[in-house]
Amino acid sequence: MKTSTQHAERDAAFVRSAMSILGAHMARGERLSRRELIAKALASRPPYFYVEADRAVDVFNFFRHRPWPSAPTLRQQMWMEFCTMVREEMEGPRRLKLSKAVAFVLNFRRPSRFYISEQIAQRLIRRHVARRSYIVRS
């Protein structure tokens, strides 16, 4: 289970990414709706997976001999990406053992996107961007 610290770190990284995207658009004089900002921020790459190593090993072992869900939830998509990266480290040129592969992925690989629901993303962004304007609140 994610700790509140991991949630806070993930949320802060998401907001930083969104504010960076917003700043880049503002510097170019481009308008960006809140919905567009959220979509771009969700699609940006976070610095790392916000999961604990013990939980990651458990989830990897759970999915190791099971088929992927046919209609995965957002959380399952994250775990599918994570497990694929771990498997690559185990089967690739490094041939890492499970614990080392998990540690490698957690420390050196980046997820393809933020695995945050759109509702949570809206709540996080709402605190920092004024409605119908592009003024960033501190």
Side-chain angles (χ1 to χ4, degrees):
M1 180 193 251
K2 291 182 184 177
T3 64
S4 59
T5 302
Q6 287 173 314
H7 278 291
E9 289 176 11
R10 178 203 65 189
D11 294 352
F14 176 75
V15 169
R16 279 192 304 276
S17 178
M19 294 301 101
S20 175
I21 291 166
L22 181 61
H25 279 269
M26 289 174 67
R28 293 190 303 265
E30 298 172 354
R31 295 186 63 95
L32 186 66
S33 72
R34 185 174 294 161
R35 180 166 283 151
E36 292 168 327
L37 174 62
I38 289 170
K40 286 178 184 251
L42 285 173
S44 66
R45 296 184 74 187
Y48 50 86
F49 286 95
Y50 296 92
V51 298
E52 295 177 353
D54 292 341
R55 175 74 174 138
V57 169
D58 291 344
V59 171
F60 181 84
N61 284 328
F62 178 81
F63 281 120
R64 187 177 228 168
H65 303 292
R66 288 179 176 80
W68 296 119
S70 57
T73 64
L74 190 60
R75 179 172 295 223
Q76 288 171 332
Q77 290 173 27
M78 179 197 72
W79 285 116
M80 289 167 63
E81 180 178 10
F82 179 83
C83 291
T84 299
M85 289 180 179
V86 169
R87 191 170 287 116
E88 288 170 0
E89 297 305 327
M90 292 173 69
E91 296 171 357
R94 290 186 182 87
R95 298 266 184 227
L96 299 175
K97 300 285 185 201
L98 175 59
S99 61
K100 291 195 183 243
V102 167
F104 185 86
V105 171
L106 289 176
N107 288 297
F108 300 109
R109 303 280 304 265
R110 295 175 66 185
S112 61
R113 58 161 294 180
F114 276 96
Y115 288 98
I116 298 175
S117 71
E118 190 170 326
Q119 294 79 16
I120 291 173
Q122 288 174 4
R123 182 177 49 86
L124 293 170
I125 296 302
R126 190 176 305 127
R127 296 177 187 162
H128 297 276
V129 179
R131 182 170 218 107
R132 299 213 179 264
S133 72
Y134 299 98
I135 300 170
V136 179
R137 294 182 184 160
S138 53

Short mmCIF file of all heavy atoms in Angstrom, two decimals, residues 1 4 10 18 20 24 28 30 42 65 71 75 94 96 108 110 113 116 118 122-123 137:
data_model
loop_
_atom_site.label_atom_id
_atom_site.label_comp_id
_atom_site.label_asym_id
_atom_site.label_seq_id
_atom_site.Cartn_x
_atom_site.Cartn_y
_atom_site.Cartn_z
N MET A 1 0.83 -1.18 0.00
CA MET A 1 0.00 0.00 0.00
C MET A 1 0.88 1.24 0.00
O MET A 1 1.90 1.31 0.65
CB MET A 1 -0.89 0.00 1.24
CG MET A 1 -1.79 1.19 1.31
SD MET A 1 -2.52 1.32 2.94
CE MET A 1 -4.17 0.88 2.58
N SER A 4 1.35 7.76 2.78
CA SER A 4 0.93 9.13 2.52
C SER A 4 2.09 9.96 1.99
O SER A 4 1.89 10.89 1.21
CB SER A 4 0.33 9.76 3.78
OG SER A 4 1.28 9.76 4.82
N ARG A 10 4.22 12.05 -5.11
CA ARG A 10 3.63 11.90 -6.44
C ARG A 10 2.81 13.12 -6.81
O ARG A 10 2.93 13.66 -7.91
CB ARG A 10 2.76 10.64 -6.47
CG ARG A 10 2.05 10.43 -7.81
CD ARG A 10 0.82 9.59 -7.68
NE ARG A 10 -0.18 10.27 -6.88
CZ ARG A 10 -1.30 9.70 -6.46
NH1 ARG A 10 -1.56 8.45 -6.74
NH2 ARG A 10 -2.19 10.38 -5.76
N ALA A 18 2.79 19.92 -14.19
CA ALA A 18 1.72 20.75 -14.75
C ALA A 18 2.13 22.22 -14.82
O ALA A 18 1.89 22.91 -15.81
CB ALA A 18 0.44 20.58 -13.94
N SER A 20 5.13 23.42 -14.98
CA SER A 20 6.16 23.55 -16.00
C SER A 20 5.53 23.63 -17.39
O SER A 20 5.92 24.45 -18.23
CB SER A 20 7.12 22.37 -15.91
OG SER A 20 8.06 22.41 -16.95
N ALA A 24 5.59 26.93 -19.83
CA ALA A 24 6.10 26.87 -21.21
C ALA A 24 5.08 27.45 -22.19
O ALA A 24 5.43 28.20 -23.11
CB ALA A 24 6.44 25.43 -21.59
N ARG A 28 5.29 31.15 -24.41
CA ARG A 28 5.07 31.23 -25.86
C ARG A 28 3.82 32.04 -26.20
O ARG A 28 3.49 32.20 -27.37
CB ARG A 28 4.96 29.83 -26.46
CG ARG A 28 6.23 29.03 -26.40
CD ARG A 28 6.15 27.75 -27.21
NE ARG A 28 5.07 26.87 -26.81
CZ ARG A 28 5.17 25.85 -25.97
NH1 ARG A 28 6.34 25.56 -25.42
NH2 ARG A 28 4.14 25.10 -25.68
N GLU A 30 0.75 31.16 -25.54
CA GLU A 30 -0.32 30.25 -25.95
C GLU A 30 -1.30 30.05 -24.81
O GLU A 30 -0.92 29.98 -23.65
CB GLU A 30 0.27 28.89 -26.35
CG GLU A 30 1.21 28.95 -27.52
CD GLU A 30 1.91 27.63 -27.77
OE1 GLU A 30 1.76 26.69 -26.97
OE2 GLU A 30 2.63 27.56 -28.77
N LEU A 42 -0.82 14.63 -17.17
CA LEU A 42 -0.99 13.18 -16.95
C LEU A 42 -0.13 12.37 -17.92
O LEU A 42 0.36 11.30 -17.56
CB LEU A 42 -2.46 12.78 -17.09
CG LEU A 42 -3.37 13.16 -15.93
CD1 LEU A 42 -4.83 12.86 -16.27
CD2 LEU A 42 -2.96 12.43 -14.65
N HIS A 65 2.41 -15.47 -13.17
CA HIS A 65 1.87 -16.64 -13.87
C HIS A 65 0.38 -16.48 -14.18
O HIS A 65 -0.32 -17.47 -14.36
CB HIS A 65 2.11 -17.90 -13.03
CG HIS A 65 3.55 -18.12 -12.72
ND1 HIS A 65 4.47 -18.45 -13.67
CD2 HIS A 65 4.24 -18.02 -11.55
CE1 HIS A 65 5.66 -18.56 -13.12
NE2 HIS A 65 5.55 -18.30 -11.83
N ALA A 71 -9.48 -5.73 -19.43
CA ALA A 71 -9.84 -4.30 -19.36
C ALA A 71 -9.23 -3.74 -18.07
O ALA A 71 -9.93 -3.55 -17.08
CB ALA A 71 -11.35 -4.12 -19.39
N ARG A 75 -4.74 1.59 -12.11
CA ARG A 75 -3.75 1.00 -11.20
C ARG A 75 -3.16 -0.27 -11.82
O ARG A 75 -1.96 -0.50 -11.75
CB ARG A 75 -4.38 0.68 -9.87
CG ARG A 75 -3.41 0.05 -8.89
CD ARG A 75 -4.03 -0.06 -7.55
NE ARG A 75 -4.25 1.28 -7.07
CZ ARG A 75 -4.00 1.70 -5.85
NH1 ARG A 75 -3.55 0.86 -4.98
NH2 ARG A 75 -4.21 2.92 -5.50
N ARG A 94 21.19 -7.86 -18.42
CA ARG A 94 21.63 -7.80 -17.02
C ARG A 94 21.33 -9.10 -16.27
O ARG A 94 22.01 -9.44 -15.32
CB ARG A 94 20.96 -6.63 -16.30
CG ARG A 94 21.44 -5.30 -16.75
CD ARG A 94 20.82 -4.20 -15.87
NE ARG A 94 21.24 -2.90 -16.31
CZ ARG A 94 20.64 -2.18 -17.24
NH1 ARG A 94 19.56 -2.64 -17.83
NH2 ARG A 94 21.09 -1.01 -17.60
N LEU A 96 19.09 -9.87 -14.02
CA LEU A 96 18.99 -9.60 -12.59
C LEU A 96 18.01 -10.54 -11.92
O LEU A 96 17.03 -10.97 -12.52
CB LEU A 96 18.54 -8.15 -12.36
CG LEU A 96 19.45 -7.05 -12.89
CD1 LEU A 96 18.81 -5.69 -12.69
CD2 LEU A 96 20.81 -7.11 -12.22
N PHE A 108 15.83 3.42 -11.28
CA PHE A 108 16.41 3.93 -12.52
C PHE A 108 15.48 3.99 -13.72
O PHE A 108 15.86 4.54 -14.74
CB PHE A 108 17.65 3.10 -12.89
CG PHE A 108 18.71 3.13 -11.84
CD1 PHE A 108 18.98 2.01 -11.07
CD2 PHE A 108 19.44 4.29 -11.60
CE1 PHE A 108 19.95 2.04 -10.09
CE2 PHE A 108 20.42 4.33 -10.63
CZ PHE A 108 20.67 3.20 -9.87
N ARG A 110 11.67 4.99 -15.48
CA ARG A 110 10.58 5.94 -15.31
C ARG A 110 9.30 5.41 -15.94
O ARG A 110 9.32 4.87 -17.05
CB ARG A 110 10.94 7.28 -15.97
CG ARG A 110 12.12 7.96 -15.31
CD ARG A 110 12.52 9.20 -16.05
NE ARG A 110 11.46 10.20 -15.96
CZ ARG A 110 11.50 11.36 -16.59
NH1 ARG A 110 12.52 11.66 -17.36
NH2 ARG A 110 10.51 12.21 -16.47
N ARG A 113 3.85 7.55 -17.82
CA ARG A 113 2.88 8.60 -17.53
C ARG A 113 2.61 8.63 -16.03
O ARG A 113 3.05 7.76 -15.30
CB ARG A 113 1.57 8.35 -18.27
CG ARG A 113 0.95 6.99 -17.93
CD ARG A 113 -0.48 6.86 -18.24
NE ARG A 113 -1.21 7.78 -17.39
CZ ARG A 113 -2.51 7.93 -17.39
NH1 ARG A 113 -3.24 7.21 -18.20
NH2 ARG A 113 -3.11 8.77 -16.61
N ILE A 116 -2.52 8.73 -12.26
CA ILE A 116 -3.42 9.46 -11.37
C ILE A 116 -4.73 9.61 -12.13
O ILE A 116 -4.73 9.92 -13.32
CB ILE A 116 -2.86 10.87 -11.04
CG1 ILE A 116 -1.52 10.76 -10.32
CG2 ILE A 116 -3.85 11.67 -10.21
CD1 ILE A 116 -0.85 12.09 -10.07
N GLU A 118 -8.17 11.27 -13.49
CA GLU A 118 -8.45 12.64 -13.93
C GLU A 118 -9.09 13.46 -12.81
O GLU A 118 -8.82 14.65 -12.68
CB GLU A 118 -9.34 12.62 -15.17
CG GLU A 118 -9.46 13.99 -15.81
CD GLU A 118 -10.14 13.95 -17.16
OE1 GLU A 118 -9.98 12.97 -17.89
OE2 GLU A 118 -10.85 14.94 -17.46
N GLN A 122 -7.57 16.89 -11.41
CA GLN A 122 -8.32 18.14 -11.39
C GLN A 122 -8.28 18.78 -10.01
O GLN A 122 -8.08 19.99 -9.89
CB GLN A 122 -9.78 17.89 -11.80
CG GLN A 122 -9.95 17.59 -13.25
CD GLN A 122 -11.38 17.20 -13.60
OE1 GLN A 122 -12.27 17.23 -12.76
NE2 GLN A 122 -11.60 16.84 -14.85
N ARG A 123 -8.42 17.97 -8.98
CA ARG A 123 -8.37 18.50 -7.61
C ARG A 123 -7.01 19.11 -7.31
O ARG A 123 -6.91 20.19 -6.72
CB ARG A 123 -8.69 17.37 -6.62
CG ARG A 123 -8.71 17.82 -5.18
CD ARG A 123 -9.11 16.69 -4.25
NE ARG A 123 -8.39 15.45 -4.48
CZ ARG A 123 -7.20 15.15 -3.93
NH1 ARG A 123 -6.62 15.99 -3.12
NH2 ARG A 123 -6.63 13.99 -4.18
N ARG A 137 -1.16 30.33 -8.77
CA ARG A 137 -1.17 30.66 -7.35
C ARG A 137 -0.01 29.97 -6.67
O ARG A 137 0.31 28.84 -6.97
CB ARG A 137 -2.46 30.20 -6.69
CG ARG A 137 -3.68 30.92 -7.19
CD ARG A 137 -4.88 30.42 -6.44
NE ARG A 137 -6.08 31.04 -6.97
CZ ARG A 137 -7.28 30.55 -6.81
NH1 ARG A 137 -7.46 29.44 -6.13
NH2 ARG A 137 -8.32 31.17 -7.31
#
